[in-house]
PDB file of all heavy atoms in Angstrom:
ATOM      1  N   SER A  28     100.824 130.416 127.147  1.00  0.00           N
ATOM      2  CA  SER A  28     101.679 130.199 128.322  1.00  0.00           C
ATOM      3  C   SER A  28     103.058 129.742 127.877  1.00  0.00           C
ATOM      4  O   SER A  28     103.223 129.207 126.768  1.00  0.00           O
ATOM      5  CB  SER A  28     101.069 129.172 129.270  1.00  0.00           C
ATOM      6  OG  SER A  28     101.476 127.861 128.928  1.00  0.00           O
ATOM      7  N   GLN A  31     103.957 126.115 126.722  1.00  0.00           N
ATOM      8  CA  GLN A  31     103.169 125.691 125.565  1.00  0.00           C
ATOM      9  C   GLN A  31     103.648 126.302 124.249  1.00  0.00           C
ATOM     10  O   GLN A  31     103.316 125.787 123.191  1.00  0.00           O
ATOM     11  CB  GLN A  31     101.698 126.016 125.799  1.00  0.00           C
ATOM     12  CG  GLN A  31     101.097 125.189 126.931  1.00  0.00           C
ATOM     13  CD  GLN A  31      99.640 125.495 127.180  1.00  0.00           C
ATOM     14  OE1 GLN A  31      99.329 126.433 127.907  1.00  0.00           O
ATOM     15  NE2 GLN A  31      98.741 124.729 126.599  1.00  0.00           N
ATOM     16  N   ARG A  88      98.088 138.145 127.195  1.00  0.00           N
ATOM     17  CA  ARG A  88      98.369 137.360 128.394  1.00  0.00           C
ATOM     18  C   ARG A  88      99.341 136.242 128.032  1.00  0.00           C
ATOM     19  O   ARG A  88      99.032 135.393 127.197  1.00  0.00           O
ATOM     20  CB  ARG A  88      97.070 136.773 128.962  1.00  0.00           C
ATOM     21  CG  ARG A  88      97.323 135.852 130.110  1.00  0.00           C
ATOM     22  CD  ARG A  88      96.072 135.288 130.778  1.00  0.00           C
ATOM     23  NE  ARG A  88      96.522 134.358 131.789  1.00  0.00           N
ATOM     24  CZ  ARG A  88      96.114 133.099 131.936  1.00  0.00           C
ATOM     25  NH1 ARG A  88      95.152 132.618 131.165  1.00  0.00           N
ATOM     26  NH2 ARG A  88      96.639 132.324 132.846  1.00  0.00           N
ATOM     27  N   HIS A 132     102.346 129.330 135.275  1.00  0.00           N
ATOM     28  CA  HIS A 132     101.416 128.518 134.471  1.00  0.00           C
ATOM     29  C   HIS A 132     101.995 127.099 134.423  1.00  0.00           C
ATOM     30  O   HIS A 132     102.317 126.582 133.357  1.00  0.00           O
ATOM     31  CB  HIS A 132     101.237 129.140 133.085  1.00  0.00           C
ATOM     32  CG  HIS A 132      99.997 128.717 132.351  1.00  0.00           C
ATOM     33  ND1 HIS A 132      99.055 129.617 131.874  1.00  0.00           N
ATOM     34  CD2 HIS A 132      99.546 127.496 131.988  1.00  0.00           C
ATOM     35  CE1 HIS A 132      98.078 128.946 131.250  1.00  0.00           C
ATOM     36  NE2 HIS A 132      98.353 127.667 131.288  1.00  0.00           N
ATOM     37  N   TRP A 133     102.228 126.514 135.631  1.00  0.00           N
ATOM     38  CA  TRP A 133     102.468 125.086 135.832  1.00  0.00           C
ATOM     39  C   TRP A 133     103.894 124.587 135.629  1.00  0.00           C
ATOM     40  O   TRP A 133     104.159 123.402 135.825  1.00  0.00           O
ATOM     41  CB  TRP A 133     101.540 124.234 134.959  1.00  0.00           C
ATOM     42  CG  TRP A 133     100.089 124.550 135.100  1.00  0.00           C
ATOM     43  CD1 TRP A 133      99.489 125.308 136.070  1.00  0.00           C
ATOM     44  CD2 TRP A 133      99.037 124.094 134.236  1.00  0.00           C
ATOM     45  NE1 TRP A 133      98.124 125.347 135.867  1.00  0.00           N
ATOM     46  CE2 TRP A 133      97.824 124.618 134.743  1.00  0.00           C
ATOM     47  CE3 TRP A 133      99.001 123.293 133.107  1.00  0.00           C
ATOM     48  CZ2 TRP A 133      96.588 124.358 134.139  1.00  0.00           C
ATOM     49  CZ3 TRP A 133      97.775 123.040 132.508  1.00  0.00           C
ATOM     50  CH2 TRP A 133      96.584 123.562 133.018  1.00  0.00           C
ATOM     51  N   ASN A 176      97.899 130.411 137.311  1.00  0.00           N
ATOM     52  CA  ASN A 176      96.902 129.886 136.381  1.00  0.00           C
ATOM     53  C   ASN A 176      96.279 128.600 136.908  1.00  0.00           C
ATOM     54  O   ASN A 176      96.989 127.641 137.209  1.00  0.00           O
ATOM     55  CB  ASN A 176      97.550 129.576 135.023  1.00  0.00           C
ATOM     56  CG  ASN A 176      96.518 129.053 134.032  1.00  0.00           C
ATOM     57  OD1 ASN A 176      95.648 129.808 133.585  1.00  0.00           O
ATOM     58  ND2 ASN A 176      96.589 127.772 133.703  1.00  0.00           N
ATOM     59  N   GLU A 177      94.979 128.599 136.999  1.00  0.00           N
ATOM     60  CA  GLU A 177      94.190 127.397 137.270  1.00  0.00           C
ATOM     61  C   GLU A 177      94.764 126.521 138.392  1.00  0.00           C
ATOM     62  O   GLU A 177      95.191 125.384 138.147  1.00  0.00           O
ATOM     63  CB  GLU A 177      94.024 126.569 135.990  1.00  0.00           C
ATOM     64  CG  GLU A 177      93.266 127.315 134.904  1.00  0.00           C
ATOM     65  CD  GLU A 177      92.889 126.443 133.707  1.00  0.00           C
ATOM     66  OE1 GLU A 177      93.342 125.291 133.617  1.00  0.00           O
ATOM     67  OE2 GLU A 177      92.134 126.934 132.857  1.00  0.00           O
ATOM     68  N   VAL A 180      93.501 122.917 138.341  1.00  0.00           N
ATOM     69  CA  VAL A 180      93.996 121.907 137.402  1.00  0.00           C
ATOM     70  C   VAL A 180      95.334 121.335 137.880  1.00  0.00           C
ATOM     71  O   VAL A 180      95.575 120.129 137.777  1.00  0.00           O
ATOM     72  CB  VAL A 180      94.088 122.475 135.967  1.00  0.00           C
ATOM     73  CG1 VAL A 180      94.753 121.479 135.030  1.00  0.00           C
ATOM     74  CG2 VAL A 180      92.686 122.806 135.458  1.00  0.00           C
ATOM     75  N   ASN A 232      89.958 128.525 136.792  1.00  0.00           N
ATOM     76  CA  ASN A 232      88.981 127.977 135.833  1.00  0.00           C
ATOM     77  C   ASN A 232      87.692 127.589 136.540  1.00  0.00           C
ATOM     78  O   ASN A 232      87.717 127.023 137.632  1.00  0.00           O
ATOM     79  CB  ASN A 232      89.562 126.781 135.076  1.00  0.00           C
ATOM     80  CG  ASN A 232      90.062 125.713 135.991  1.00  0.00           C
ATOM     81  OD1 ASN A 232      90.808 125.995 136.924  1.00  0.00           O
ATOM     82  ND2 ASN A 232      89.657 124.485 135.752  1.00  0.00           N
ATOM     83  N   ASN A 298      88.721 131.471 133.732  1.00  0.00           N
ATOM     84  CA  ASN A 298      88.921 130.671 132.518  1.00  0.00           C
ATOM     85  C   ASN A 298      87.701 129.774 132.385  1.00  0.00           C
ATOM     86  O   ASN A 298      87.336 129.090 133.351  1.00  0.00           O
ATOM     87  CB  ASN A 298      90.154 129.762 132.638  1.00  0.00           C
ATOM     88  CG  ASN A 298      91.466 130.527 132.744  1.00  0.00           C
ATOM     89  OD1 ASN A 298      91.488 131.756 132.730  1.00  0.00           O
ATOM     90  ND2 ASN A 298      92.564 129.785 132.857  1.00  0.00           N
ATOM     91  N   TYR A 300      85.570 126.957 129.724  1.00  0.00           N
ATOM     92  CA  TYR A 300      85.485 126.198 128.472  1.00  0.00           C
ATOM     93  C   TYR A 300      84.147 125.491 128.303  1.00  0.00           C
ATOM     94  O   TYR A 300      83.512 125.602 127.266  1.00  0.00           O
ATOM     95  CB  TYR A 300      86.638 125.185 128.394  1.00  0.00           C
ATOM     96  CG  TYR A 300      87.968 125.871 128.180  1.00  0.00           C
ATOM     97  CD1 TYR A 300      88.757 126.269 129.260  1.00  0.00           C
ATOM     98  CD2 TYR A 300      88.411 126.161 126.900  1.00  0.00           C
ATOM     99  CE1 TYR A 300      89.957 126.937 129.061  1.00  0.00           C
ATOM    100  CE2 TYR A 300      89.612 126.822 126.695  1.00  0.00           C
ATOM    101  CZ  TYR A 300      90.385 127.208 127.778  1.00  0.00           C
ATOM    102  OH  TYR A 300      91.557 127.884 127.576  1.00  0.00           O
ATOM    103  N   PHE A 341      88.410 118.081 120.924  1.00  0.00           N
ATOM    104  CA  PHE A 341      88.937 117.527 122.177  1.00  0.00           C
ATOM    105  C   PHE A 341      87.852 116.732 122.909  1.00  0.00           C
ATOM    106  O   PHE A 341      88.111 116.132 123.947  1.00  0.00           O
ATOM    107  CB  PHE A 341      89.407 118.683 123.079  1.00  0.00           C
ATOM    108  CG  PHE A 341      90.589 118.371 123.963  1.00  0.00           C
ATOM    109  CD1 PHE A 341      91.232 119.394 124.656  1.00  0.00           C
ATOM    110  CD2 PHE A 341      91.081 117.073 124.116  1.00  0.00           C
ATOM    111  CE1 PHE A 341      92.331 119.144 125.468  1.00  0.00           C
ATOM    112  CE2 PHE A 341      92.175 116.815 124.935  1.00  0.00           C
ATOM    113  CZ  PHE A 341      92.791 117.848 125.612  1.00  0.00           C
ATOM    114  N   TRP A 343      85.159 118.242 124.210  1.00  0.00           N
ATOM    115  CA  TRP A 343      84.492 119.095 125.195  1.00  0.00           C
ATOM    116  C   TRP A 343      83.169 119.591 124.618  1.00  0.00           C
ATOM    117  O   TRP A 343      83.122 120.039 123.459  1.00  0.00           O
ATOM    118  CB  TRP A 343      85.371 120.308 125.564  1.00  0.00           C
ATOM    119  CG  TRP A 343      86.679 119.938 126.196  1.00  0.00           C
ATOM    120  CD1 TRP A 343      87.137 118.680 126.502  1.00  0.00           C
ATOM    121  CD2 TRP A 343      87.730 120.835 126.588  1.00  0.00           C
ATOM    122  NE1 TRP A 343      88.394 118.752 127.061  1.00  0.00           N
ATOM    123  CE2 TRP A 343      88.784 120.055 127.124  1.00  0.00           C
ATOM    124  CE3 TRP A 343      87.890 122.224 126.542  1.00  0.00           C
ATOM    125  CZ2 TRP A 343      89.957 120.616 127.612  1.00  0.00           C
ATOM    126  CZ3 TRP A 343      89.066 122.784 127.020  1.00  0.00           C
ATOM    127  CH2 TRP A 343      90.090 121.990 127.558  1.00  0.00           C
ATOM    128  N   GLU A 372      90.677 133.140 129.934  1.00  0.00           N
ATOM    129  CA  GLU A 372      90.795 132.124 128.861  1.00  0.00           C
ATOM    130  C   GLU A 372      89.404 131.692 128.433  1.00  0.00           C
ATOM    131  O   GLU A 372      88.526 131.503 129.276  1.00  0.00           O
ATOM    132  CB  GLU A 372      91.512 130.854 129.340  1.00  0.00           C
ATOM    133  CG  GLU A 372      93.002 130.948 129.450  1.00  0.00           C
ATOM    134  CD  GLU A 372      93.647 129.617 129.870  1.00  0.00           C
ATOM    135  OE1 GLU A 372      93.073 128.540 129.601  1.00  0.00           O
ATOM    136  OE2 GLU A 372      94.725 129.682 130.488  1.00  0.00           O
ATOM    137  N   TRP A 418      91.721 132.001 124.205  1.00  0.00           N
ATOM    138  CA  TRP A 418      92.758 130.968 124.213  1.00  0.00           C
ATOM    139  C   TRP A 418      92.639 130.212 122.906  1.00  0.00           C
ATOM    140  O   TRP A 418      91.657 129.502 122.724  1.00  0.00           O
ATOM    141  CB  TRP A 418      92.612 130.015 125.410  1.00  0.00           C
ATOM    142  CG  TRP A 418      93.722 129.003 125.390  1.00  0.00           C
ATOM    143  CD1 TRP A 418      93.755 127.832 124.658  1.00  0.00           C
ATOM    144  CD2 TRP A 418      94.981 129.098 126.055  1.00  0.00           C
ATOM    145  NE1 TRP A 418      94.961 127.214 124.832  1.00  0.00           N
ATOM    146  CE2 TRP A 418      95.727 127.962 125.680  1.00  0.00           C
ATOM    147  CE3 TRP A 418      95.554 130.047 126.915  1.00  0.00           C
ATOM    148  CZ2 TRP A 418      97.027 127.736 126.153  1.00  0.00           C
ATOM    149  CZ3 TRP A 418      96.841 129.810 127.379  1.00  0.00           C
ATOM    150  CH2 TRP A 418      97.550 128.670 126.999  1.00  0.00           C
ATOM    151  N   ASN A 423      99.350 125.163 119.886  1.00  0.00           N
ATOM    152  CA  ASN A 423     100.505 124.992 120.774  1.00  0.00           C
ATOM    153  C   ASN A 423     100.501 123.628 121.449  1.00  0.00           C
ATOM    154  O   ASN A 423      99.678 122.774 121.135  1.00  0.00           O
ATOM    155  CB  ASN A 423     100.556 126.143 121.795  1.00  0.00           C
ATOM    156  CG  ASN A 423      99.313 126.206 122.666  1.00  0.00           C
ATOM    157  OD1 ASN A 423      98.864 125.181 123.183  1.00  0.00           O
ATOM    158  ND2 ASN A 423      98.739 127.391 122.819  1.00  0.00           N
ATOM    159  N   PHE A 424     101.423 123.458 122.381  1.00  0.00           N
ATOM    160  CA  PHE A 424     101.586 122.191 123.102  1.00  0.00           C
ATOM    161  C   PHE A 424     100.477 122.062 124.136  1.00  0.00           C
ATOM    162  O   PHE A 424     100.486 122.771 125.144  1.00  0.00           O
ATOM    163  CB  PHE A 424     102.965 122.171 123.780  1.00  0.00           C
ATOM    164  CG  PHE A 424     103.205 120.959 124.632  1.00  0.00           C
ATOM    165  CD1 PHE A 424     103.524 119.742 124.051  1.00  0.00           C
ATOM    166  CD2 PHE A 424     103.107 121.030 126.015  1.00  0.00           C
ATOM    167  CE1 PHE A 424     103.730 118.610 124.844  1.00  0.00           C
ATOM    168  CE2 PHE A 424     103.320 119.907 126.818  1.00  0.00           C
ATOM    169  CZ  PHE A 424     103.629 118.696 126.219  1.00  0.00           C
ATOM    170  N   GLU A 425      99.514 121.183 123.869  1.00  0.00           N
ATOM    171  CA  GLU A 425      98.349 121.070 124.761  1.00  0.00           C
ATOM    172  C   GLU A 425      98.591 119.967 125.800  1.00  0.00           C
ATOM    173  O   GLU A 425      97.927 118.937 125.835  1.00  0.00           O
ATOM    174  CB  GLU A 425      97.084 120.842 123.932  1.00  0.00           C
ATOM    175  CG  GLU A 425      95.794 120.664 124.720  1.00  0.00           C
ATOM    176  CD  GLU A 425      95.537 121.678 125.832  1.00  0.00           C
ATOM    177  OE1 GLU A 425      95.864 122.855 125.671  1.00  0.00           O
ATOM    178  OE2 GLU A 425      95.008 121.254 126.870  1.00  0.00           O
ATOM    179  N   TRP A 426      99.616 120.168 126.640  1.00  0.00           N
ATOM    180  CA  TRP A 426      99.862 119.317 127.810  1.00  0.00           C
ATOM    181  C   TRP A 426      99.850 117.832 127.441  1.00  0.00           C
ATOM    182  O   TRP A 426     100.504 117.443 126.480  1.00  0.00           O
ATOM    183  CB  TRP A 426      98.881 119.683 128.937  1.00  0.00           C
ATOM    184  CG  TRP A 426      98.853 121.167 129.190  1.00  0.00           C
ATOM    185  CD1 TRP A 426      97.790 122.022 128.984  1.00  0.00           C
ATOM    186  CD2 TRP A 426      99.938 122.020 129.647  1.00  0.00           C
ATOM    187  NE1 TRP A 426      98.148 123.312 129.311  1.00  0.00           N
ATOM    188  CE2 TRP A 426      99.436 123.342 129.714  1.00  0.00           C
ATOM    189  CE3 TRP A 426     101.275 121.788 130.023  1.00  0.00           C
ATOM    190  CZ2 TRP A 426     100.231 124.417 130.130  1.00  0.00           C
ATOM    191  CZ3 TRP A 426     102.061 122.864 130.436  1.00  0.00           C
ATOM    192  CH2 TRP A 426     101.536 124.149 130.484  1.00  0.00           C
ATOM    193  N   PHE A 434      94.260 124.827 119.392  1.00  0.00           N
ATOM    194  CA  PHE A 434      93.412 125.854 120.004  1.00  0.00           C
ATOM    195  C   PHE A 434      93.638 127.236 119.380  1.00  0.00           C
ATOM    196  O   PHE A 434      93.032 128.212 119.813  1.00  0.00           O
ATOM    197  CB  PHE A 434      93.701 125.954 121.507  1.00  0.00           C
ATOM    198  CG  PHE A 434      92.950 124.956 122.370  1.00  0.00           C
ATOM    199  CD1 PHE A 434      93.479 123.694 122.633  1.00  0.00           C
ATOM    200  CD2 PHE A 434      91.716 125.276 122.921  1.00  0.00           C
ATOM    201  CE1 PHE A 434      92.791 122.784 123.440  1.00  0.00           C
ATOM    202  CE2 PHE A 434      91.023 124.371 123.718  1.00  0.00           C
ATOM    203  CZ  PHE A 434      91.556 123.127 123.979  1.00  0.00           C
TER     204      PHE A 434
HETATM  205  C1  FCB B  19      93.497 125.468 130.252  1.00  0.00           C
HETATM  206  C2  FCB B  19      94.959 125.835 130.413  1.00  0.00           C
HETATM  207  C3  FCB B  19      95.626 126.254 129.151  1.00  0.00           C
HETATM  208  C4  FCB B  19      95.164 125.457 127.954  1.00  0.00           C
HETATM  209  C5  FCB B  19      93.655 125.404 127.896  1.00  0.00           C
HETATM  210  C6  FCB B  19      93.115 124.643 126.720  1.00  0.00           C
HETATM  211  O1  FCB B  19      93.144 124.549 131.235  1.00  0.00           O
HETATM  212  O2  FCB B  19      95.105 126.892 131.334  1.00  0.00           O
HETATM  213  O3  FCB B  19      97.012 126.150 129.349  1.00  0.00           O
HETATM  214  O4  FCB B  19      95.744 124.216 127.963  1.00  0.00           O
HETATM  215  O5  FCB B  19      93.153 124.837 129.063  1.00  0.00           O
END
Side-chain angles (χ1 to χ4, degrees):
S28 89
Q31 293 180 275
R88 174 177 176 232
H132 200 124
W133 307 347
N176 181 70
E177 298 189 351
V180 173
N232 55 311
N298 295 0
Y300 289 90
F341 213 170
W343 298 358
E372 283 183 27
W418 182 277
N423 60 46
F424 176 77
E425 178 47 37
W426 310 114
F434 276 89

